[in-house]
């Protein structure tokens, strides 16, 4: 019994790893009131993993755009700062994701768009 269990465990781990990086359908009703060009960039590079429909539990646990409106103001500001830093640093989308979906890499213009928008949005929220 132990040998069967130990032979199945690596297959289960592989399945979970692959499932974590499968893109999720982007919810059609995700309307955050953000500029269209920002939403387009997020749709391209972020929503596959960071929405409730994603199978990537770790990613949506860190940031879930589907639950954005449920986040407290301070959490939204913190998430915006995190978005700005990770996108600016080239850490998102992650390399493993881009190996499978290279067309989803953010362009320099999209990185600039997102970081400038995130900074402005933080300023707006902190003024409220």
């Amino acid at each position: 019994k132990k040998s069967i269990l130990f032979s199945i465990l690596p297959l289960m781990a592989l399945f979970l790893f692959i499932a974590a990086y499968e893109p999720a359908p982007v919810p059609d009703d995700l309307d955050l009131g953000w500029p269209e060009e920002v939403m387009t960039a997020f749709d391209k590079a972020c929503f596959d993993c960071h929405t409730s429909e994603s199978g990537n539990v770790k990613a949506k646990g860190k940031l879930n755009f589907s639950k954005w409106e449920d986040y407290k103001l301070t959490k939204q500001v913190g998430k915006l700062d995190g978005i700005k830093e990770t996108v600016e640093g080239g850490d998102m989308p992650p390399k493993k994701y881009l190996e499978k979906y290279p067309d989803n890499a953010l362009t320099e213009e999209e990185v600039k768009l997102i970081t400038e928008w995130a900074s402005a949005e933080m300023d707006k929220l902190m003024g409220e």
Side-chain angles (χ1 to χ4, degrees):
K1 288 185 178 182
K2 283 185 180 181
S3 64
I4 293 172
L5 180 64
F6 286 118
S7 64
I8 293 174
L9 283 176
L11 291 173
M12 289 176 54
L14 179 63
F15 173 75
L16 290 173
F17 177 77
I18 291 170
Y21 283 100
E22 279 301 310
V26 177
D28 293 330
D29 61 346
L30 187 60
D31 182 14
L32 300 170
W34 296 340
E36 184 178 339
E37 55 274 1
V38 171
M39 291 296 286
T40 300
F42 284 156
D43 185 22
K44 171 184 169 183
C46 307
F47 290 162
D48 282 348
C49 300
H50 292 283
T51 60
S52 293
E53 289 74 14
S54 169
N56 191 328
V57 176
K58 184 178 175 183
K60 68 182 175 183
K62 289 186 178 202
L63 172 62
N64 188 338
F65 287 105
S66 300
K67 296 184 178 188
W68 185 263
E69 298 295 327
D70 297 333
Y71 291 162
K72 292 181 180 180
L73 183 67
T74 53
K75 188 170 186 174
Q76 287 181 355
V77 171
K79 295 295 182 188
L80 287 165
D81 190 44
I83 290 168
K84 181 179 177 280
E85 286 183 19
T86 56
V87 168
E88 204 167 42
D91 299 323
M92 282 288 153
K95 288 177 181 42
K96 286 186 180 185
Y97 174 80
L98 292 176
E99 287 172 5
K100 195 168 185 182
Y101 305 101
D103 292 341
N104 292 8
L106 292 169
T107 64
E108 287 182 33
E109 293 82 18
E110 289 168 327
V111 168
K112 182 178 179 192
L113 170 76
I114 290 170
T115 56
E116 288 177 357
W117 167 82
S119 291
E121 191 72 13
M122 282 189 291
D123 290 344
K124 183 176 106 180
L125 291 176
M126 289 190 290
E128 292 181 359

